[in-house]
Amino acid sequence: NAGVMQNPRHLVRRRGQEARLRCSPMKGHSHVYWYRQLPEEGLKFMVYLQKENIIDESGMPKERFSAEFPKEGPSILRIQQVVRGDSAAYFCASSSGGENYGYTFGSGTRLTVV
Amino acid sequence: KNQVEQSPQSLIILEGKNCTLQCNYTVSPFSNLRWYKQDTGRGPVSLTIMTFSENTKSNGRYTATLDADTKQSSLHITASQLSDSASYICVVSGQGSYIPTFGRGTSLIVHP
């Protein structure tokens, strides 16, 4: 059981480029959550997805950010035209569903925009 | 508005000492409360999960308590070790909600 796998671990992008962050949930998990963590701050919810569906994206900025969780393959968080303020650690968590099921987090992707 | 407040924001203790971290929440109706440990540069790792009917849960040197009436939880660390240096995050889920509420965490530093 490989756990939640995120890649890349570190990503450097120039302002204006696109960043694509990948998350493969634990085997058997069909619920994926994305969180952003700024330095010295807590985890902020961005989006909650199930296979092929966005369930809640209330924490996601309206522009430049999008997420998907296709029927096959990992979940993708895409940030277009990155700006310096997008620099943060992005964590993915997965669960088998329901409020009483614990999350399992990945190790995160650290995005640096230069 | 659902909120989770943790205290202290940061804590420094000597190796071998005990400490207690606090978590107060307003999430209602309550479903469960979890404590996570987040090492620097890593993702959070679950320590304990408690539902309404549970008031104590242990995981090795970590003991969590829950008072659902006062909406308070604590995480007690016994005989601290250098490897306990991390951020400890309290996370509360409401009934019927898939989106839990995260506290900002307590940063613990254990000195030799």
Side-chain angles (χ1 to χ4, degrees):
Chain A
N1 189 346
V4 177
M5 303 300 293
Q6 287 189 250
N7 66 81
R9 287 296 309 276
H10 300 275
L11 181 62
V12 179
R13 284 287 177 265
R14 295 186 185 279
R15 280 179 293 171
Q17 290 185 319
E18 178 180 282
R20 290 168 63 93
L21 288 60
R22 295 175 181 77
C23 169
S24 296
M26 280 187 68
K27 187 176 181 180
H29 285 188
S30 59
H31 299 245
V32 167
Y33 306 76
W34 285 93
Y35 288 82
R36 177 164 62 176
Q37 187 173 38
L38 295 170
E40 308 302 322
E41 293 198 10
L43 288 152
K44 301 294 185 187
F45 168 76
M46 298 182 73
V47 62
Y48 162 46
L49 310 101
Q50 296 180 22
K51 283 285 188 181
E52 299 185 277
N53 286 302
I54 296 174
I55 307 301
D56 187 321
E57 56 181 348
S58 58
M60 197 125 83
K62 293 288 186 288
E63 298 178 353
R64 302 188 297 108
F65 285 72
S66 63
E68 63 178 9
F69 189 16
K71 186 177 181 180
E72 300 291 338
S75 175
I76 305 288
L77 178 67
R78 181 184 293 112
I79 311 172
Q80 296 177 306
Q81 299 175 318
V82 296
V83 301
R84 289 226 170 104
D86 296 332
S87 295
Y90 292 83
F91 290 96
C92 167
S94 73
S95 78
S96 53
E99 68 211 39
N100 291 321
Y101 290 87
Y103 278 4
T104 300
F105 280 88
S107 293
T109 293
R110 274 141 197 88
L111 172 66
T112 302
V113 180
V114 297
Chain B
K1 181 182 177 182
N2 291 333
Q3 288 185 314
V4 175
E5 299 289 339
Q6 292 188 242
S7 62
Q9 185 174 349
S10 61
L11 182 62
I12 301 173
I13 62 174
L14 292 176
E15 187 179 11
K17 297 297 186 182
N18 304 336
C19 67
T20 300
L21 315 180
Q22 301 291 341
C23 172
N24 297 338
Y25 62 91
T26 61
V27 178
S28 183
F30 174 82
S31 175
N32 62 74
L33 184 147
R34 309 165 199 160
W35 283 94
Y36 284 87
K37 177 187 179 188
Q38 184 177 22
D39 292 311
T40 301
R42 310 294 297 179
V45 174
S46 180
L47 294 175
T48 62
I49 178 170
M50 290 183 291
T51 59
F52 185 89
S53 59
E54 299 172 297
N55 53 28
T56 301
K57 184 73 70 80
S58 290
N59 178 357
R61 294 179 296 102
Y62 301 103
T63 299
T65 64
L66 173 66
D67 185 333
D69 291 330
T70 61
K71 299 184 177 175
Q72 295 179 326
S73 176
S74 65
L75 180 69
H76 187 74
I77 304 175
T78 304
S80 60
Q81 300 177 358
L82 298 180
S83 59
D84 293 331
S85 296
S87 178
Y88 291 84
I89 305 169
C90 176
V91 182
V92 182
S93 292
Q95 292 181 20
S97 172
Y98 290 108
I99 312 298
T101 303
F102 281 67
R104 293 189 60 167
T106 291
S107 175
L108 174 66
I109 298 174
V110 180
H111 277 311

